[in-house]
Amino acid sequence: MKRIVFDFEVTSEEYHAMTTLLYKMNFDVKIPDRNWSGRPAIRNYSTSFTNL
């Protein structure tokens, strides 16, 4: 099993669209620098937004 950890920033306007995608829990991911692609499952994600 591989583990991928990353951070990305979204604005409050983009937050809803992003969380909708995260709730689907399936993505095609490509990491060209590592010559890797696959369909990982999301195990955990969090947000720093507190004023939704």
Side-chain angles (χ1 to χ4, degrees), residues 33-51:
D33 293 352
R34 301 283 173 105
N35 195 30
W36 185 87
S37 64
R39 292 193 55 112
I42 295 172
R43 301 272 185 231
N44 187 14
Y45 71 90
S46 62
T47 181
S48 61
F49 279 105
T50 57
N51 60 346

